[in-house]
Amino acid sequence: MRRTVLLLCVAAYGLAAAPAAVFAIRDARIVRVSGPALERGTVLIRDGLIEQVGPNVAIPPDAWVIEGKGLTVYPGLIDALSTLGIAEAATAAAGARTSRTAAQPAQPTPSPTPPTPASAPARGPEDRPSNTSWVRAADLVSPGDRRVETARSAGITTAMTFPQRGIFAGQGAVINLAGEKGGQMVVSAPAGLYLSVSSAGFTSFPGSLFGVMAYIRQIFLDADHYKLAKEAYAARPVGARRPAYDRALEGVLEAPRLLLPATRAVEVDRMVKFAAELKRPAVLYGVHEGYRATEILKKAGMPVLVSLKWPERSREADPEEVDALRMLEMRERAPSTPAALAKAGVPFAFYTDGTTSGRDLPRAVRRALEAGLSQADAVRAFTLSAAEIYGVADRLGSLEAGKIANLVVTSGELFQEKTQVKHIFVDGMKFEPAPEPAEEVSR
Amino acid sequence: MKPRWILLLAAAAPLMAAPPVVVRNANVLTVTKGRFVGSILIRDGKIAEAGEKIRTPEGAQVIDASGQYVMPGIIDNHSHIAAESTNEGSVSVSSMVDIRDVLNPEDIAIYRALAGGVTTILTTHGSANAIGGVCSALKMRWGKDAAGLMVDGSAPVLKMALGENPKRRGGATQFGGNITPRYPATRMGVEDVIREAFTEAQAYRQTRRDYEAKLKRGEKAAAPRRDIRLDPLVEVLEGRCLVHVHAYRADETLMMLRLAQEFGFRVHALIHVLEGYKVAKEIAAHNAGATTFSDWWAYKMEAADAIPYNAALMHRKGVLVALNSDSPELMRHLNQEAAKAIKYGGVTEDEALAMITINPARQIGLDQRVGSIEPGKDADLVIYDKHPLSNYAKVQKVLIEGEVYFDRDRDVSQREERESRRKALVEKAKEQQKKAGPPGTRRPS
């Protein structure tokens, strides 16, 4: 029985991912993102890379030709913050999805996953609680995460994936959503250090938001001190006492950028100042009240990642309960954040925050479009801007010769209601979208 | 030519933004300089003149307060509003935490405090542990960002706590097992924790001093690790950080004063100190302030031996007495709390008002700027329709540095509009959810 299932799986994989190395998508509309769209042109893919893009591309005889008439080709979408590919996060995400609907959105930025309380309670920063900064997403990713296919079917070809457990959760990686082994998925690492402000209450340090802030501050001071001590020792190891190896600080020193949580405008203000104090490049994530914080962000020149899980009243909320005006306004106006950021010139990208299904993702983006975001800015945020924020725009984010062949081919304008994803290319491998599961009738 | 014009305009902008303000024909309760019927002239956020006859400058904004009462903005020096954390209760010494990291300028309690005439507060760490965190004075500038709440040049305040709260030892039998077992479990232990922490801070300071001395001599030295838990304690030892201590009982109040003497710092305010009347002479001798409740007690054993005469008795013995709220509700009628000191203990009106203005200002080191109506001070004013010590008095307007932050008429007139806006948003959200259909597609897992 098990063997049959295995065989079926292998067969299905074979159907979904075509192994041919050369593809030509011809006579299609091509949205390059890095330049104006071509109304009719050809994209030639060879050995995982884009070989040529243009109106007059000679199609080599070894190419598998895809008739692109009536179709549009986009760079593959980038989920700018996720846990995709980290299989153990998948189960946590499934659990969080149900419990999070009941969560109070008014609370300070909730962490996607609460920290696991350590066996012995932490007594201060010296115990390095909730710190797994040395954990690398690049070491954890595997194609076995079942969410990968769902996301890919929605047109997502790349994800910035991060361990998200704890305060110093770990090092992210830029991964492509295909490959037979985890190592093949990784495009670039480390992509940054994911920080959350989750706290343990009275049970363990830090037990409060200001405790977390103080803890983060002390860790960065310690990291700087550790670096000096290590350098001094490396320069003259003989006759000197060696500094103790500290993996929690190693991870902090290795991170090229910090990802800091900030959902409300107050939190944006707080974290922009905090990042400046820590003297590290930072990116904010969440940013649902970004429509009120464009000035601060512009002044700080800080890029942000906007969650597409727009805030809404919990469906299980007490119908008698009266929501504060500010909360109601945030729910109403959160989708106007991308348009406001675009207008102010603040670099931003999207992250799906779990809304990866082929139905939910375009719907969430349409809310931003309805609130004033242009189609072109939406596409850019989901492709090139994400690549730029993570410093991988030389390889990803647009349709240009030499870039990684990550593409999504659609029946029309991306994110529109009637538009279907037809083909997806990841690292030059061709995939068809998996059929969308039937909408579940409430149980 | 053009750039110079722009420069000129830019220089003039701040002046143009704030024309002088005159509060006219009011019963002015200065708190420190008696009472008169007259006017107050405000320039650049400061009180320029206050007296019976004030000439109104041209272009001044005039607030007519005929028949009304003006007093300095109320100061509540023990509050927990406008911050998103209260306690770092996981450890007994949490001086690494700083309330300034978690200010919430959008806490509605700020606006409600304004509506009760409060213009300055000390927002403090809670009393869960022996040494809490660094606290900050804030002005209730509703509508400004976190930095806009801060008071420039105000000294930080370290919060400490004695008694029942910090000695909650945790473990399975206490608080549903939600607190990890923690030292100390007794009042003696609390003293020990504080003594040990300051001893550690002294050693830390010495290490830093030795390092700096070496650098000065041109010697090579490795920088010592910076410990943000000990930094505020060093500031206390050096007198750059004020100290407020939560204390109820007379015995531990004395313990704290002795402990402070041992380490050479001053306790600027004892918080609650419901048994302060028993040791008022000693408190006065230490030059410690007391910030207490009027008649709020008996909520726990150590708050059992309280009397409503506490404030008046301590005041008679020379203690600098303030009344605080510790509560976003009580802080909206601190004027009535002050009135109770007249009923119980017979202090004068000015003495009663001082307990919610200039006295708390002294305890947070801001008496040069706020707490009374005197030329040169910040124009933080409350206008009441009746005498503020009356139960019937309602706040009409509140000014902070000359700017109106609360206006009762405006508030009342906006209520209907806000309610209809709220209703419209609720309806719109319902529509949106309907449009989105049933909750997101879930795959069986």
Side-chain angles (χ1 to χ4, degrees), chain A residues 82-325:
Chain A
S82 75
T83 56
L84 284 171
I86 303 176
E88 63 191 41
T91 36
R97 201 177 304 160
T98 37
S99 67
R100 228 185 339 158
T101 46
Q104 288 290 322
Q107 283 170 349
T109 322
S111 154
T113 43
T116 358
S119 46
R123 288 298 178 207
E126 295 74 15
D127 290 342
R128 308 286 187 249
S130 291
N131 190 326
T132 51
S133 69
W134 67 88
V135 170
R136 296 186 173 104
D139 298 340
L140 300 177
V141 292
S142 85
D145 180 0
R146 56 195 302 162
R147 299 170 303 161
V148 165
E149 195 189 2
T150 312
R152 191 174 59 213
S153 298
I156 298 169
T157 59
T158 300
M160 315 315 191
T161 194
F162 287 80
Q164 296 187 5
R165 210 173 262 278
I167 296 168
F168 291 84
Q171 308 280 344
V174 181
I175 63 163
N176 274 348
L177 297 188
E180 280 168 41
K181 287 181 179 166
Q184 295 170 337
M185 301 169 79
V186 177
V187 177
S188 170
L193 178 61
Y194 180 91
L195 288 150
S196 79
V197 291
S198 49
S199 58
F202 275 25
T203 55
S204 186
F205 180 86
S208 59
L209 180 60
F210 56 16
V212 173
M213 301 278 285
Y215 174 45
I216 295 173
R217 179 175 287 128
Q218 182 70 60
I219 284 287
F220 278 92
L221 287 168
D222 284 355
D224 289 343
H225 188 252
Y226 178 65
K227 190 166 171 245
L228 286 177
K230 274 204 335 178
E231 282 166 359
Y233 182 72
R236 196 183 276 267
V238 179
R241 239 185 112 92
R242 70 179 186 283
Y245 176 80
D246 191 333
R247 59 182 182 175
L249 301 182
E250 293 284 343
V252 166
L253 290 173
E254 191 180 306
R257 62 184 63 79
L258 307 178
L259 272 74
L260 295 169
T263 296
R264 293 169 300 136
V266 167
E267 291 166 335
V268 169
D269 181 41
R270 178 180 300 150
M271 285 304 175
V272 161
K273 284 180 194 143
F274 198 45
E277 187 196 323
L278 298 176
K279 298 193 187 75
R280 298 292 201 284
V283 180
L284 303 185
Y285 65 87
V287 205
H288 278 157
E289 225 180 5
Y291 59 91
R292 288 178 60 207
T294 51
E295 290 287 307
I296 304 165
L297 290 167
K298 199 182 171 188
K299 220 175 126 195
M302 188 170 291
V304 297
L305 312 176
V306 180
S307 161
L308 281 172
K309 194 188 180 79
W310 303 120
E312 58 170 21
R313 185 169 221 266
S314 160
R315 283 162 195 263
E316 290 114 52
D318 180 354
E320 303 290 312
E321 205 177 276
V322 179
D323 292 309
L325 189 55

Side-chain angles (χ1 to χ4, degrees), chain B residues 231-430:
Chain B
D231 283 342
L233 304 188
V234 170
E235 287 192 24
V236 166
L237 292 173
E238 293 179 349
R240 286 180 283 128
C241 180
L242 311 185
V243 176
H244 281 206
V245 186
H246 161 114
Y248 279 93
R249 279 183 11 185
D251 53 355
E252 63 191 5
T253 298
L254 294 179
M255 175 276 282
M256 186 64 226
L257 297 179
R258 283 193 295 263
L259 196 58
Q261 246 161 9
E262 181 183 325
F263 285 95
F265 64 84
R266 181 157 86 83
V267 176
H268 297 79
L270 292 155
I271 309 161
H272 309 318
V273 63
L274 297 187
E275 289 187 18
Y277 63 94
K278 297 180 181 175
V279 287
K281 260 195 286 190
E282 289 80 358
I283 296 173
H286 181 93
N287 199 11
T291 178
T292 185
F293 296 136
S294 57
D295 56 358
W296 188 10
W297 59 66
Y299 37 83
K300 53 178 165 179
M301 275 313 293
E302 64 184 7
D305 216 1
I307 53 171
Y309 301 91
N310 189 33
L313 286 173
M314 285 195 290
H315 170 71
R316 293 261 156 75
K317 294 287 181 188
V319 178
L320 182 72
V321 178
L323 294 166
N324 70 65
S325 78
D326 199 7
S327 139
E329 189 283 320
L330 191 65
M331 85 190 293
R332 295 176 222 158
H333 46 91
L334 276 169
N335 57 318
Q336 296 169 8
E337 297 301 292
K340 288 178 195 166
I342 300 175
K343 178 174 168 63
Y344 304 108
V347 300
T348 67
E349 285 187 7
D350 273 354
E351 285 168 339
L353 289 175
M355 288 178 185
I356 54 169
T357 54
I358 189 70
N359 294 3
R362 282 196 184 114
Q363 292 175 3
I364 56 176
L366 284 176
D367 51 305
Q368 296 302 313
R369 286 193 54 181
V370 295
S372 63
I373 296 178
E374 290 175 68
K377 281 202 161 181
D378 292 0
D380 297 359
L381 306 170
V382 195
I383 304 175
Y384 283 95
D385 57 346
K386 297 188 174 65
H387 194 294
L389 293 171
S390 157
N391 268 359
Y392 299 100
K394 282 200 207 81
V395 172
Q396 302 300 307
K397 279 190 179 62
V398 178
L399 285 75
I400 297 179
E401 288 163 27
E403 204 177 317
V404 177
Y405 278 88
F406 175 79
D407 183 328
R408 189 176 157 79
D409 291 340
R410 194 170 62 195
D411 183 285
V412 172
S413 71
Q414 283 176 352
R415 284 176 198 173
E416 212 167 302
E417 187 267 330
R418 289 175 70 84
E419 186 50 28
S420 64
R421 194 146 50 103
R422 204 184 60 76
K423 277 195 179 131
L425 283 171
V426 168
E427 285 309 310
K428 226 174 149 183
K430 272 189 195 157

Side-chain angles (χ1 to χ4, degrees), chain B residues 46 75 100 103 119-123 135-141 145-156 361 364-370 378 380 400-401:
Chain B
K46 300 272 180 198
I75 296 166
R100 290 170 291 193
L103 295 181
T119 53
T120 301
I121 67 166
L122 183 75
T123 192
C135 317
S136 176
L138 303 176
K139 287 213 188 185
M140 302 289 89
R141 298 189 190 97
D145 62 6
L149 298 182
M150 309 270 271
V151 185
D152 291 340
S154 66
I364 56 176
L366 284 176
D367 51 305
Q368 296 302 313
R369 286 193 54 181
V370 295
D378 292 0
D380 297 359
I400 297 179
E401 288 163 27

